[in-house]
Structures are given as structure tokens and as C-alpha cells.
């Protein structure tokens, strides 16, 4: 077989984080310890980190569901420079969730070379892709984390 005859290998893609890939969602329950506190989901940590006041932070951390954490996170007074900080906050949460020995970490590694995209229908074009557009920052950070896990193997 010449190179011209070689089959075209399409790169796999995960287009949304639900159903079989729910583990990749920030709303999936994977308790993690950060700075001596337990957060039920990435969303709990991410939203809590928006709060200026410790009281608001704790309230979001203890929210009953990730939806509730997200709702509360949109109501609090934001820490200064939240826009500059948010990527590192998300990166930190993902590192705490996707550890080498965790189920979540193994799941992420098992996605291999697939392109990870947080396709969504709630209009988020920063962390994901909605209506065919978006920066897909969550997908990018997940792929970054996967690379870090792979480098440790
Ligand atoms: N995963 C997921 C959502 N998306 C999450 O919301 C976060 C951004 O929130 P904000 O900064 O307030 O716009 C970020 O973690 C993103 O992944 N929203 C949902 O309503 N349902 C969901 O299943």
C-alpha cells in the first residue's frame, strides 16, 4: 500500500459532556479537596472562588447542587480581576478533580487524542461552544490536563 492508499484516520471528538462523557462535565459529582475544604464538583469550587467574602464562598461551597452553586456565583460581589483569574481557578479545579489515581483521571486519559469540546445549549461561548461558536476554554484546559497526566505515566 502506498501512502496515497492509506486510510484517512479521523481524529475522534467528544462534542459534549453528557451521557457517556458526563464525567468531563463540571457539574459531575467528583468530590475534591482544595485548601483544606471539600467541594462536591468543579462548579462548586469555580463559583465559590468568585466571591469576595468568605461567607459567600462558604455558602456556595455548601450549595446542594452545582446548578445552585452556579446561580449563587452569579449573585455575589466578584473578587477583583475575576476575568484575569478565572482560567487559573478552573485549571486548579481540574487538577484537583483529574488526579492520576482517580476514576476521573483515568477517564480523561482514556479519551486518548480525542478533541474535547464542551458543546452546550445554554449559550456559553467562553467555556464551551454554542451555536457553532465558542472559545471552548474548558475543553482546552481538559486537554491540557490530559497531557499533564499522560506525561506522568
Ligand atoms: N456544565 C454546565 C454549565 N457550565 C459551566 O458553567 C461555568 C461558567 O459559569 P459562569 O462563569 O457563571 O458563566 C463553567 O464551569 C461551565 O463549564 N452550565 C450549566 O448550566 N449546566 C452545565 O451542565
Amino acid at each position: 500500500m502506498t501512502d496515497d492508499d492509506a486510510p484517512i484516520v479521523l481524529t475522534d471528538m467528544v462534542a459534549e459532556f453528557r451521557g457517556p462523557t458526563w464525567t468531563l462535565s463540571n457539574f459531575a459529582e467528583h468530590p475534591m479537596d482544595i485548601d483544606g475544604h471539600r467541594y462536591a464538583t468543579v462548579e462548586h469550587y469555580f463559583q465559590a472562588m468568585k466571591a469576595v467574602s468568605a461567607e459567600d464562598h462558604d455558602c456556595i461551597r455548601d450549595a446542594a447542587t452545582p446548578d445552585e452553586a452556579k446561580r449563587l456565583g452569579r449573585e455575589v460581589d466578584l473578587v477583583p480581576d475575576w476575568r484575569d483569574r478565572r482560567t487559573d481557578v478552573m485549571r486548579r479545579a481540574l487538577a484537583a478533580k483529574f488526579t492520576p489515581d482517580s476514576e476521573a483521571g483515568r477517564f480523561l486519559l482514556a479519551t486518548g487524542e480525542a478533541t474535547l469540546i464542551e458543546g452546550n445549549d445554554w449559550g456559553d461561548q467562553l467555556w464551551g461552544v454554542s451555536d457553532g461558536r465558542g472559545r471552548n476554554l474548558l475543553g482546552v484546559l481538559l486537554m491540557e490536563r490530559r497531557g499533564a497526566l499522560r506525561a506522568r505515566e
Side-chain angles (χ1 to χ4, degrees), residues 22 25-27 42-43 46-47 50 67 70 74 82 90 118 122 124 127 138:
W22 175 243
S25 168
N26 285 345
F27 279 39
V42 166
E43 199 67 17
F46 179 79
Q47 299 294 343
K50 287 182 177 178
D67 294 87
K70 182 168 178 171
R74 289 183 160 180
W82 170 246
M90 188 68 83
E118 196 211 23
W122 50 86
D124 189 339
W127 298 104
L138 178 59

Side-chain angles (χ1 to χ4, degrees), residues 96-129:
K97 173 181 175 183
F98 297 96
T99 57
D101 299 326
S102 66
E103 192 191 330
R106 285 190 291 275
F107 187 93
L108 181 58
L109 267 176
T111 63
E113 293 292 337
T115 302
L116 306 178
I117 299 174
E118 196 211 23
N120 68 81
D121 56 12
W122 50 86
D124 189 339
Q125 296 185 331
L126 174 66
W127 298 104
V129 171

